[in-house]
Amino acid sequence: MDIFLTNNLTKKKEHFIPRDRNNLGMYVCGPTVYDDPHIGNARPLVIFDILYKLLKNEFKKVTYVRNITDIDDKIIQSAQEQNISTKELTERITKNFLDDCKFLNCENPDYQPKATQHIKLMIEMINDLLKKGFAYENNQHIYFEVKKFSDYGKLSNKKLDELIAGSRIEVSKNKKNPEDFVLWKPSNKDEPYWESPWGKGRPGWHLECSAMSKKFLGNEFDIHGGGIDLIFPHHENEIAQSRCANDTKVFANFWVHNAFITMSNEKMAKSQGNILKIKEFRKKMSGQIIRLALMSAHYRQPLDWNDKLLTDCKNTLDKWYGIKYDNFKFVKVPNDILKPLYEDLNTPGFIANLHSLYEKAKNNDKKDLFISACQFIGLLNESNEQWENYKKNRVSLNESEIKKMVDLRDNARENKDYKEADRIRDELSDKGVLIEDKDGKTLWKFK
């Protein structure tokens, strides 16, 4: 079945045709490991994991590369503030990031290269750019000269003057022009460094992805992904330096970007004080809930994060786990069910198909298909026992305490003290216990 994706390079939804059906490549910008990932960082993890699954369903070989940036100004600053080495910081944050990926049930990419393991390749690329006249050296800094690349701005669909105004462009007296961006910079005392023809220093952020994508996917590949905030300057700069260094007319054929997560319609950001760390959810919630929430809106639309969204997703999964059985037989999911995913990763449309399948599966019809379709998108991967344990563990009461409160409520009802009975019921509900009065008996279960 044909896949259609919105290509931000052309600003259109296009029929995705790989360069080689037997060997497809996708590169997605991973984390800069200076701080623990937040829920906004989780969205591209889940979105591109779903795209990876879809591509593997359609093509013979898919190579998925997601980098880890473990050298950057933010990393150095954070390590200094914590009075620890950059190595200690990046190793800890990288471990937390990988734990978050597992929590969200994301498949491991085929390659997860670290920037610090590929400095030699970056130096080689800088040398190529210098020799070809696209870069220049000044005071041990190497800059890419943007005006030498005529296609600059095509991804962000803006002219150079528009891009410079109000953008995240570093101001430096070492530059010929304000729009030029750094490829290499000298390291200060007590900062990490690598030997280079231009002295002790470290690479610029944009260069890292160009060097690593080239190593694992070649000079040209199929899909480059990331958050929408990376379009400029990061992805624009990647295109410029890669095409100039590699003498190509193309870097990646398709550019796919996910929109922001918001809270009360405000972008999630440190400056807003609304950052929610993924590791905090690990302590109190199943990753299945977070994953379903992250795919509840189309990836190109903002997703507003709130308690109701999480409650709705938890209730949906609780309903779906109610008919899951652990020894089910996996079946191939037919195209009519998968069709929304083939239409620009329409996850809300696919979830609607799951709801329809569930109604059929309730009556023991198409149960295996329903479970298989859920697992196709990374849901219902836990056993029923794991799901029940999650619900049990999030309740702050043990069973004897629950039974004691149920007895108190029964006594209140017998004494016609319905206000007190309702209060106890509401307290139990707040603590994750659902009360049901049936045939003169009080039944309870974990929510």
Side-chain angles (χ1 to χ4, degrees), residues 144-372:
F144 183 91
E145 192 167 357
V146 168
K147 287 178 181 175
K148 296 282 184 76
F149 181 62
S150 60
D151 281 347
Y152 196 83
K154 280 197 172 180
L155 179 65
S156 42
N157 199 28
K158 290 184 179 180
K159 294 179 181 178
L160 191 56
D161 291 344
E162 294 176 301
L163 291 170
I164 294 171
S167 63
R168 295 179 293 170
I169 288 181
E170 178 191 7
V171 177
S172 173
K173 62 183 180 181
N174 295 310
K175 295 182 180 183
K176 285 184 182 179
N177 312 293
E179 68 271 15
D180 297 345
F181 58 89
V182 69
L183 302 172
W184 188 268
K185 63 175 71 176
S187 295
N188 297 322
K189 186 180 178 181
D190 300 326
E191 291 181 349
Y193 69 88
W194 288 263
E195 296 288 351
S196 80
W198 321 286
K200 296 177 178 178
R202 61 185 188 274
W205 170 42
H206 312 300
L207 185 76
E208 297 174 357
C209 286
S210 285
M212 289 185 283
S213 63
K214 178 176 181 175
K215 175 180 177 179
F216 294 100
L217 299 176
N219 292 346
E220 301 176 25
F221 54 94
D222 297 286
I223 298 172
H224 196 311
I228 198 169
D229 55 321
L230 297 179
I231 291 177
F232 185 83
H234 186 51
H235 288 168
E236 199 77 73
N237 292 351
E238 274 190 73
I239 292 171
Q241 64 200 6
S242 292
R243 281 185 52 190
C244 291
N246 301 331
D247 294 319
T248 61
K249 292 185 178 180
V250 171
F251 177 38
N253 284 335
F254 273 71
W255 289 81
V256 182
H257 299 92
N258 64 275
F260 294 125
I261 285 183
T262 60
M263 292 185 69
S264 301
N265 297 313
E266 291 283 345
K267 178 190 169 186
M268 190 173 291
K270 276 191 172 183
S271 58
Q272 299 290 341
N274 59 1
I275 292 293
L276 300 172
K277 300 287 181 67
I278 302 173
K279 70 176 185 181
E280 296 303 318
F281 288 97
R282 279 196 262 143
K283 299 174 183 177
K284 59 185 179 183
M285 190 169 290
S286 166
Q288 295 277 282
I289 297 171
I290 305 300
R291 186 177 178 95
L292 180 56
L294 289 167
M295 63 176 81
S296 63
H298 192 277
Y299 77 93
R300 297 186 64 243
Q301 300 298 321
L303 170 62
D304 201 53
W305 198 260
N306 53 68
D307 289 341
K308 183 180 184 303
L309 171 67
L310 296 178
T311 299
D312 289 346
C313 290
K314 182 260 165 194
N315 290 340
T316 293
L317 285 165
D318 200 32
K319 181 174 68 173
W320 289 356
Y321 268 103
I323 63 170
K324 180 178 183 280
Y325 61 105
D326 292 333
N327 60 340
F328 83 99
K329 181 182 178 182
F330 188 85
V331 298
K332 184 173 175 59
V333 184
N335 287 346
D336 62 322
I337 302 297
L338 294 175
K339 187 176 180 181
L341 297 180
Y342 280 77
E343 290 287 339
D344 202 17
L345 284 187
N346 181 3
T347 51
F350 184 74
I351 292 168
N353 282 351
L354 291 179
H355 282 295
S356 297
L357 267 180
Y358 168 78
E359 293 302 320
K360 297 175 183 176
K362 277 195 307 186
N363 302 317
N364 292 319
D365 181 28
K366 301 187 182 298
K367 255 189 184 181
D368 287 340
L369 175 57
F370 170 71
I371 298 168
S372 299

Side-chain angles (χ1 to χ4, degrees), residues 376-399:
F376 184 92
I377 206 167
L379 299 173
L380 263 60
N381 67 303
E382 297 175 348
S383 68
N384 293 65
E385 183 180 5
Q386 287 174 314
W387 179 255
E388 287 301 318
N389 284 339
Y390 144 70
K391 292 197 295 180
K392 189 182 297 184
N393 292 338
R394 67 186 287 269
V395 174
S396 57
L397 301 170
N398 59 41
E399 291 198 18

Side-chain angles (χ1 to χ4, degrees), residues 127-135 148 243-247:
N127 270 323
D128 285 343
L129 289 166
L130 285 167
K131 289 174 185 175
K132 293 170 181 175
F134 293 107
K148 296 282 184 76
R243 281 185 52 190
C244 291
N246 301 331
D247 294 319

Side-chain angles (χ1 to χ4, degrees), residues 30-31 37 41-42 44-46 49 53 64 66-68 93-109 112 278-279 282 287-288 291 294 378 381:
N41 305 134
L45 293 178
V46 170
D49 181 63
K53 295 176 190 298
Y64 176 17
R66 185 182 63 214
N67 72 295
I68 293 174
I93 302 300
T94 298
K95 181 184 182 303
N96 287 343
F97 167 73
L98 296 175
D99 287 345
D100 290 341
C101 293
K102 186 176 180 181
F103 169 69
L104 294 168
N105 194 29
C106 293
E107 291 186 56
N108 290 327
Q112 294 193 85
I278 302 173
K279 70 176 185 181
R282 279 196 262 143
Q288 295 277 282
R291 186 177 178 95
L294 289 167
N381 67 303

Side-chain angles (χ1 to χ4, degrees), residues 44-72:
L45 293 178
V46 170
I47 292 303
F48 290 102
D49 181 63
I50 294 169
L51 180 55
Y52 183 41
K53 295 176 190 298
L54 185 68
L55 294 170
K56 288 195 298 178
N57 190 63
E58 189 68 23
F59 301 105
K60 186 175 181 180
K61 181 183 179 184
V62 180
T63 302
Y64 176 17
V65 183
R66 185 182 63 214
N67 72 295
I68 293 174
T69 296
D70 58 348
I71 181 63
D72 182 77

